[in-house]
Amino acid sequence: MARAAAKKVKPRKRLTGDERRESILEAALGCFLEKGYIATTINDIREASGATTGSIYHFFDGKGALAMALLEDAVAGWSGESTATSETPEAVIKASAGGLVSWGLKNPELFRFTDEIRTLAVTAPEFAGIADTLAEGQGSASASYSKFLKAKKVKDLPWPVAHSMMLGPAYNFLRLATTGRARVAAKRAVEIFADAAWAAVKA
Amino acid sequence: MARAAAKKVKPRKRLTGDERRESILEAALGCFLEKGYIATTINDIREASGATTGSIYHFFDGKGALAMALLEDAVAGWSGESTATSETPEAVIKASAGGLVSWGLKNPELFRFTDEIRTLAVTAPEFAGIADTLAEGQGSASASYSKFLKAKKVKDLPWPVAHSMMLGPAYNFLRLATTGRARVAAKRAVEIFADAAWAAVKA
Amino acid sequence: MARAAAKKVKPRKRLTGDERRESILEAALGCFLEKGYIATTINDIREASGATTGSIYHFFDGKGALAMALLEDAVAGWSGESTATSETPEAVIKASAGGLVSWGLKNPELFRFTDEIRTLAVTAPEFAGIADTLAEGQGSASASYSKFLKAKKVKDLPWPVAHSMMLGPAYNFLRLATTGRARVAAKRAVEIFADAAWAAVKA
Amino acid sequence: MARAAAKKVKPRKRLTGDERRESILEAALGCFLEKGYIATTINDIREASGATTGSIYHFFDGKGALAMALLEDAVAGWSGESTATSETPEAVIKASAGGLVSWGLKNPELFRFTDEIRTLAVTAPEFAGIADTLAEGQGSASASYSKFLKAKKVKDLPWPVAHSMMLGPAYNFLRLATTGRARVAAKRAVEIFADAAWAAVKA
DNA sequence: GATGAATGAGCTTTCATTCAT
DNA sequence: AATGAATGAAAGCTCATTCAT
């Protein structure tokens, strides 16, 4: 609030391009997680990263681009967590929901961040298209479902409905948990929502 | 210091307080639904309502207060839709999930608006507390669940989990449907999610 | 700050014109003293007095007029306090300075209020002319000084200088005392500054 | 949300940071002196300085911060003028009062500006603490007084009282002089008030 | 007399982005 | 690559005052 008037320049560590890039990303993530995307200003990121405004714009196309870059990382981690060890429908679907819960409980702030962006994407043109990126990450099982369906292993539901059945509970729970309105042991939660996902759609 | 005396009076249509208040609320809702809460400016509301800036502030404390006033209406409509005709656990829970879907599909923009506010509430102090209001509206079954539990009619799940099981799918579906990524006949959707809610938690 | 949105009308006590006028003046004084003239809004006065905006403007020409009305009362009380019991130069001058200190210590907020207005008067056109009113009140001895001078009872100083010699210390002290930066027994202070005033100008 | 990208760049004269900073300070001072602090708007300063709104806020925290920065300069000039050539109580006290008058008559607008801020400081939170800054500048003799007192060179008066005795007349006179209600030759005035200050407190 | 809705210019401040150096 | 001053539209909000009822 009280802005520092004409801050004296504190000598900055000299970084290589890549290091600088990384430091900016890190700082941006920190800010987004801490105060939310909207409330974060470029200035916040500048202060947190030690880079200059110009530097930030040298490496990224702006605030939106920073968020996008971070989201991709987020989705990657998420997908990684959701990989099944076997290819049976049950394993795949349980891994999908369980992985989501597991990842979300480990990275609550990151979950909230993606959730914020998803919501903004509805009205902010700068995030148009992000919805699909997120949907993919979330539904790694998306492609598989029709395969399972053909094998009569799962209920015949339109994909959006099936998706909602499988991941809706997990997603809802994470929203509660990451805003402090649910406290359940992580391990137990992963199991519960994995089981529920399978129960909800198995044929 | 001495503020310039109001110059020409271009008398606007004279409305009673309540009429003006209503017209502002309506205009605000229209703007919020159309472009989202964040993207809507007081000026947009001013133009849409025909009121003056001062009038808007005469009746409301600001943009946030307008949103809050509208949210209360939304929650009311929502709860109304979710009232069960009988008191059996099955009826109550089905009404809760089915009502949510039904209301959301009828008022997709209103659903998106509440969703936007809910997300903002996580970081915007002006909406602190709204989360609970929304949660209540959503979980009219909250109080009932423990009663059903005592009667051994439902699974013994912590409330956040139970809540997620029952309403998560519906909620998730509405998010898809209201952003154009799901097209399912409303009637059918209501049934599906009502049934699923009950199936997910019945003992 | 947080404005009450659309306050419900609380039934107002019915007052006669004069009572209403008085209640507004009182409320205005209270506000001015409490938060200063500038920081006080008509709305503050409205709330404090129980009158309506229209009523306030019915009885007074605006915020400035309210201040002026109050100032006259202030100056009157002030002058009253400064009346000497005898007509000797010493008695008159001591009464003038002593009276000022006495009045100021009894009405610290009123003193601060007049001081605020005096300062504003320098740049605010609405208070042009008030400076003289205040100067008179302060220097009830103004007219007398030249008389004393002719009688060789006081130093031959230009009036502004003489005035400063006699009342400057008292005035300065009140500024300190009324902002909490001086704590001296009132009785003693009155004496000290009365004596000093006379000592400073006696022939 | 996404702020409109800055449109046309109408390149303004490029100044170094310090030059721009100075030009803003100068412009602000000009405005404050001319129309008073309260009546001056950021826009006035913008126009007077040739800087843009953003630039002003880039260098200063706002109107209040500008005033503070200027006040420090003022106090410095003031103190400079009040330095005695010898260390005797008489010299020091005379220099204090004489310097105040001398400085004030040379910088009447600056005097009025400090006076305005001092008055505002009573109620405006943004200037809390400024009172002490001003008091110090004014009473460079403050620390010395107790020393003189120990040496029995001055009257045993509480500091606020002594301060008022010494500087009150000078201060009062400057208020009259700088608002055009006193016309006395500067040289003569300096002497008079210097002498009076000493006379008022010498043992 | 009384009411309070209406006025609207004007305020301070924000901040994503650009670009001369 | 790096810097940080500069941009300026636009935001939310204030408030003395007017006037239809």
Side-chain angles (χ1 to χ4, degrees), chain C residues 15-34:
Chain C
L15 300 181
T16 69
D18 270 0
E19 284 168 340
R20 179 56 79 201
R21 211 189 121 90
E22 273 320 298
S23 79
I24 291 169
L25 265 179
E26 244 172 73
L29 182 59
C31 293
F32 290 156
L33 297 186
E34 189 188 326

Side-chain angles (χ1 to χ4, degrees), chain D:
Chain D
M1 161 169 305
R3 203 165 290 249
K7 294 293 157 49
K8 296 280 165 199
V9 179
K10 189 200 312 174
R12 217 160 278 242
K13 208 184 328 170
R14 191 83 185 182
L15 300 180
T16 68
D18 275 357
E19 282 168 343
R20 177 59 79 200
R21 214 187 122 87
E22 275 321 300
S23 78
I24 292 169
L25 267 178
E26 249 172 69
L29 182 58
C31 293
F32 290 157
L33 297 185
E34 190 189 324
K35 34 173 68 173
Y37 172 79
I38 293 184
T40 295
T41 69
I42 292 289
N43 209 40
D44 291 334
I45 297 171
R46 186 179 60 65
E47 278 170 10
S49 68
T52 56
T53 313
S55 257
I56 296 173
Y57 279 89
H58 179 70
F59 288 107
F60 300 94
D61 267 358
K63 213 172 123 177
L66 274 165
M68 297 289 257
L70 291 167
L71 274 179
E72 275 160 36
D73 291 355
V75 169
W78 188 343
S79 302
E81 200 106 359
S82 307
T83 310
T85 49
S86 122
E87 287 295 321
T88 66
E90 180 173 354
V92 168
I93 286 169
K94 283 187 172 176
S96 175
L100 174 57
V101 173
S102 169
W103 175 84
L105 292 177
K106 269 192 232 156
N107 308 278
E109 290 165 324
L110 204 42
F111 174 82
R112 282 197 339 213
F113 170 58
T114 60
D115 203 39
E116 185 185 2
I117 299 296
R118 182 205 317 281
T119 304
L120 293 179
V122 174
T123 47
E126 57 197 295
F127 289 125
I130 199 65
D132 297 321
T133 306
L134 289 171
E136 259 175 68
Q138 207 178 130
S140 65
S142 151
S144 320
Y145 198 82
S146 47
K147 200 178 62 186
F148 300 158
L149 187 56
K150 274 181 197 150
K152 309 255 185 189
K153 300 291 189 188
V154 295
K155 284 183 185 146
D156 185 7
L157 298 167
W159 168 245
V161 173
H163 176 267
S164 298
M165 293 291 181
M166 295 186 291
L167 296 183
Y171 205 83
N172 197 80
F173 175 71
L174 285 177
R175 291 181 129 206
L176 295 173
T178 57
T179 52
R181 279 171 297 143
R183 296 192 194 288
V184 176
K187 210 161 185 176
R188 178 99 187 91
V190 171
E191 258 177 59
I192 291 179
F193 289 100
D195 288 348
W198 176 238
V201 298
K202 77 176 166 198

Side-chain angles (χ1 to χ4, degrees), chain A residues 18-179:
Chain A
D18 270 1
E19 284 168 341
R20 178 57 79 203
R21 211 189 121 88
E22 273 320 298
S23 78
I24 291 168
L25 266 179
E26 245 171 72
L29 182 58
C31 292
F32 290 156
L33 298 185
E34 189 189 324
K35 36 171 69 172
Y37 173 79
I38 293 185
T40 295
T41 68
I42 292 290
N43 208 40
D44 291 332
I45 298 171
R46 186 180 61 65
E47 278 171 12
S49 68
T52 57
T53 314
S55 246
I56 296 172
Y57 277 87
H58 177 73
F59 289 109
F60 300 94
D61 273 351
K63 205 172 133 179
L66 272 165
M68 297 289 256
L70 291 167
L71 273 179
E72 275 159 35
D73 290 356
V75 170
W78 188 341
S79 303
E81 200 105 359
S82 306
T83 309
T85 49
S86 120
E87 286 296 319
T88 66
E90 179 173 353
V92 168
I93 286 169
K94 282 187 172 176
S96 175
L100 173 57
V101 172
S102 170
W103 174 86
L105 290 178
K106 269 191 232 155
N107 307 278
E109 289 165 325
L110 205 42
F111 174 82
R112 283 199 337 215
F113 170 57
T114 60
D115 204 37
E116 184 184 3
I117 299 296
R118 183 205 317 282
T119 304
L120 293 180
V122 175
T123 47
E126 57 197 296
F127 289 125
I130 198 66
D132 297 321
T133 306
L134 289 171
E136 258 175 69
Q138 205 178 132
S140 65
S142 153
S144 322
Y145 197 81
S146 47
K147 201 178 61 188
F148 300 158
L149 187 56
K150 273 182 197 148
K152 309 254 183 189
K153 301 292 189 187
V154 295
K155 283 184 185 146
D156 184 7
L157 296 168
W159 168 244
V161 173
H163 176 266
S164 298
M165 294 291 182
M166 296 185 293
L167 296 184
Y171 205 83
N172 196 80
F173 176 72
L174 285 177
R175 292 183 127 202
L176 294 173
T178 57
T179 52

Side-chain angles (χ1 to χ4, degrees), chain B residues 1-2 21 57-61, chain C residues 2-6 38 120 124 126:
Chain B
M1 161 168 305
R21 214 189 122 87
Y57 280 90
H58 179 70
F59 288 106
F60 300 94
D61 267 358
Chain C
R3 185 185 313 215
I38 293 186
L120 293 180
E126 57 199 295

